[in-house]
Amino acid sequence: MPPAPETTPAYQDVSEEAFTARIEDLRDRYGSCDLCAHECGVDRMAGETGVCGIDTTPRISSHFAHRGEEDVLRGHNGSGTIFLANCNMQCVFCQNFEISQQGRGEPVTATEIAEMALELQAQGCHNVNFVSPTHHSPHLVEAISRARDRGLEIPIVWNCGGYERAEIIKRLDGIVDIYMPDVKWSEEAAARRYSKAPNYWSNVRESLREMHRQVGDLEVDNNGLATSGLLVRHLLLPKHVENAKQVLSFLANEISEQTYLNLLSQYRPHYKVPTDERFSDIDHRVTPAEYQAVLSHARSVGLERVEYDAAMAGESVSTFLG
Ligand code: SF4
């Protein structure tokens, strides 16, 4: 069995009444959906769909102990990952497009999601990691409530694309332990072109401030496992060094120099990119020079907790600054 959590997840202290109020508040939003920054206004309860392309029935593509996540999440036994189908982002390079864009997954209820969370905990996973959670926030909060009542006691990870609304994030206060947004864009044109996410930068900045207000910098226990806080990913894209630098400057200057950042190097051209000439500018991998320029910027702006690809950085062992 894994070591027992050294701190109590926030949701343990939420009363039944407070959980019910949050669930009802969020569920009402399905009726004129504004759960994400698209604010489509469609009635998903009546079967209408917006940009994310799904009504109110969540679909799950898989749930398993993920051993490829950050060390602070996977530990020895894996991060208890629950992959939701569909997504509120429409990234043309998505490596999981069959799930995110084509909806591959099985329909489930909140009770069934709660059972998956408990099953992952029983397997020894160190957390429950909801991937692409935003468009089904109401069901997920209900699932957390149900699982809590049946003994869930590991942290909740909100593994999202960053195209959130701070108003909705506020409703997760005290329920989510670890926010893990992949902050993709600071440049508006790129956000529209590659992810169909207008006003991404203003929305993600506001949402990050709210996430950090709730949970603060990432806390790691004596076993090296994340217990709460903000963990930011940034997937560096080819020819987007300036975009990345602006993201990192914002984190250092307006969130915290202690922000835990994972600077991802694994971009590959997927989905539409290899076959659509409009995206030929990103039809190749990131170069070491691009990666090193961004890593150097992380150092220069004072970020102190950066997980990075040592091979791409031209270094041998360290994966941390500071
Ligand atoms: S969750 Fe889906 S329907 Fe709702 S606002 Fe976002 S994209 Fe539109």
Side-chain angles (χ1 to χ4, degrees):
M1 287 299 292
E6 290 186 356
T7 58
T8 307
Y11 59 82
Q12 294 288 351
D13 297 327
V14 179
S15 68
E16 288 292 337
E17 296 73 26
F19 252 128
T20 301
R22 300 284 186 94
I23 294 163
E24 288 178 357
D25 179 316
L26 287 166
R27 198 188 286 134
D28 284 347
R29 292 168 183 278
Y30 276 142
S32 178
C33 193
D34 63 355
L35 286 168
C36 85
H38 280 297
E39 297 188 65
C40 298
V42 295
D43 185 355
R44 293 171 64 188
M45 291 199 251
E48 294 175 11
T49 56
V51 175
C52 62
I54 190 163
D55 58 17
T56 59
T57 303
R59 301 176 78 89
I60 301 288
S61 73
S62 62
H63 68 290
F64 61 99
H66 196 330
R67 297 173 194 280
E69 300 287 65
E70 287 79 354
D71 285 349
V72 291
L73 297 180
R74 72 177 173 219
H76 297 295
N77 296 312
S79 176
T81 302
I82 299 178
F83 266 98
L84 284 102
N86 297 75
C87 184
N88 66 327
M89 308 261 306
Q90 306 280 297
C91 301
V92 297
F93 48 83
C94 184
Q95 64 180 356
N96 296 319
F97 67 91
E98 295 97 339
I99 301 167
S100 66
Q101 312 292 320
Q102 297 171 356
R104 190 173 74 190
E106 295 300 319
V108 291
T109 63
T111 301
E112 288 168 326
I113 299 173
E115 285 164 0
M116 291 175 191
L118 291 164
E119 182 187 326
L120 291 165
Q121 176 173 271
Q123 289 175 18
C125 293
H126 305 288
N127 44 67
V128 176
N129 182 347
F130 289 119
V131 182
S132 297
T134 308
H135 53 294
H136 284 302
S137 311
H139 278 80
L140 298 183
V141 172
E142 184 178 351
I144 295 165
S145 171
R146 289 175 185 266
R148 189 273 304 266
D149 292 347
R150 292 174 51 194
L152 189 74
E153 55 178 8
I154 52 178
I156 299 296
V157 182
W158 204 253
N159 183 346
C160 63
Y163 196 49
E164 314 299 310
R165 294 185 61 224
E167 278 303 302
I168 302 301
I169 297 297
K170 281 179 186 162
R171 285 157 175 80
L172 305 176
D173 191 2
I175 294 172
V176 169
D177 299 288
I178 299 165
Y179 286 103
M180 186 163 64
D182 180 353
V183 181
K184 289 179 166 49
W185 308 115
S186 62
E187 294 174 351
E188 174 68 13
R192 288 176 180 267
R193 178 169 159 76
Y194 301 113
S195 296
K196 296 191 179 70
N199 302 314
Y200 181 92
W201 187 224
S202 58
N203 280 292
V204 75
R205 279 181 297 168
E206 204 181 330
S207 296
L208 281 166
R209 289 191 184 101
E210 173 58 23
M211 292 173 185
H212 190 256
R213 183 195 70 76
Q214 290 178 24
V215 296
D217 296 325
L218 194 73
E219 298 284 340
V220 178
D221 70 13
N222 292 332
N223 297 308
L225 296 169
T227 55
S228 67
L230 178 65
L231 193 170
V232 175
R233 289 173 167 172
H234 178 73
L235 175 66
L236 179 60
L237 267 73
K239 296 190 172 70
H240 285 81
V241 168
E242 292 309 312
N243 177 74
K245 285 182 176 178
Q246 285 188 65
V247 171
L248 271 51
S249 294
F250 170 76
L251 294 176
N253 298 333
E254 299 188 45
I255 299 296
S256 165
E257 290 181 351
Q258 292 294 316
T259 301
Y260 190 109
L261 171 71
N262 187 1
L263 183 59
L264 299 167
S265 64
Q266 69 252 39
Y267 173 81
R268 304 282 189 283
H270 285 290
Y271 190 30
K272 295 182 178 175
V273 173
T275 55
D276 190 329
E277 283 185 2
R278 288 175 299 167
F279 308 120
S280 59
D281 53 333
I282 57 168
D283 192 12
H284 55 274
R285 296 180 60 181
V286 167
T287 66
E290 288 175 318
Y291 192 82
Q292 288 165 22
V294 176
L295 189 59
S296 172
H297 187 75
R299 290 189 166 105
S300 71
V301 296
L303 288 172
E304 296 182 5
R305 303 167 81 193
V306 183
E307 186 170 337
Y308 61 90
D309 180 336
M312 280 289 276
E315 299 174 10
S316 56
V317 282
S318 174
T319 52
F320 280 88
L321 308 176

